[in-house]
Amino acid sequence: MKRLFFFCMALMLTLSASSQGFGQGFGQGFGQGHRQGQGQGRRFSPEQFQAQLEDYFKKEAHLTPQEAAIFFPIYKEMQEKQRAIFERQRNLARVKPADEQGCLKVIKERDEIDLELKRIQQAYHLRFLEQLPASRVYDILQVEERFFRHMMRSWGRGPRPQMPQQQGSSQR
């Protein structure tokens, strides 16, 4: 469940970054692009991100060229399906419903989206296993988790906005 959460958050950040014009990505060093891209007008590049993801997966999971040729088309297909669902999830979170019935409906829909994401993930894991050995798929899943965890940490290293003061707190 943690893996799904990290993966979901990473993909939502990716979608959000591409629509809001995040930093350059990782730059030359893994995790360096956000700081390098600040103030330089650079935008998130989905192509560059995908290239870095593939390079990282190939290196860290020790994928052969043949394994990479099998894995990445299936992985990209999975990402596309997940992106559509993340967009639905993001749209649900935009505005809080005005009444209890609306809130209940959104909660149930969010739960269904989470289950749908897990079903997609499971179906694609089975497809990976049809083409690659289980030990290789296991390695890929571990690398994927590390990649997105590191990405989220590196994007979080930018300047932090000031937190608004709570009402009623004493100021000195």
Side-chain angles (χ1 to χ4, degrees):
M1 194 65 177
K2 285 182 184 178
R3 182 178 297 155
L4 175 64
F5 174 75
F6 282 119
F7 185 72
C8 292
M9 290 301 296
L11 281 176
M12 286 184 357
L13 281 173
T14 301
L15 290 172
S16 176
S18 64
S19 67
Q20 295 175 7
F22 226 75
Q24 173 187 347
F26 287 112
Q28 292 124 0
F30 191 64
Q32 300 297 319
H34 181 69
R35 287 185 183 201
Q36 291 173 350
Q38 288 177 348
Q40 297 176 7
R42 295 186 183 159
R43 299 212 177 263
F44 176 81
S45 167
E47 296 81 16
Q48 183 180 15
F49 175 82
Q50 189 66 33
Q52 289 170 337
L53 179 138
E54 289 183 20
D55 288 344
Y56 188 78
F57 275 40
K58 288 174 190 175
K59 178 182 169 201
E60 295 296 317
H62 308 289
L63 294 177
T64 66
Q66 296 81 13
E67 290 170 333
I70 292 169
F71 171 73
F72 285 113
I74 299 170
Y75 186 73
K76 287 177 188 175
E77 186 180 313
M78 180 181 78
Q79 285 181 311
E80 288 300 316
K81 286 187 178 185
Q82 289 175 324
R83 274 190 197 104
I85 294 169
F86 287 135
E87 185 63 29
R88 280 182 29 215
Q89 193 174 44
R90 199 171 83 184
N91 288 337
L92 281 176
R94 288 183 191 246
V95 179
K96 180 180 178 181
D99 61 351
E100 290 296 312
Q101 210 48 29
C103 288
L104 178 63
K105 181 181 175 190
V106 168
I107 290 168
K108 288 182 178 184
E109 194 168 343
R110 287 180 69 174
D111 288 346
E112 188 54 42
I113 287 172
D114 286 343
L115 292 172
E116 189 174 349
L117 283 167
K118 198 58 171 172
R119 284 189 291 267
I120 288 171
Q121 189 179 41
Q122 183 181 34
Y124 278 90
H125 289 175
L126 291 174
R127 284 186 61 189
F128 296 149
L129 289 167
E130 290 172 0
Q131 302 291 322
L132 299 167
S135 60
R136 184 62 73 204
V137 174
Y138 180 88
D139 292 342
I140 290 168
L141 295 176
Q142 295 296 331
V143 167
E144 178 185 49
E145 187 175 334
R146 282 195 315 265
F147 177 82
F148 285 112
R149 191 174 340 122
H150 189 87
M151 178 188 69
M152 289 184 346
R153 262 187 285 179
S154 68
W155 280 357
R157 289 184 188 136
R160 298 178 189 245
Q162 291 289 327
M163 294 297 290
Q165 293 286 330
Q166 289 182 345
Q167 290 181 335
S169 64
S170 61
Q171 296 179 347
R172 293 183 184 203

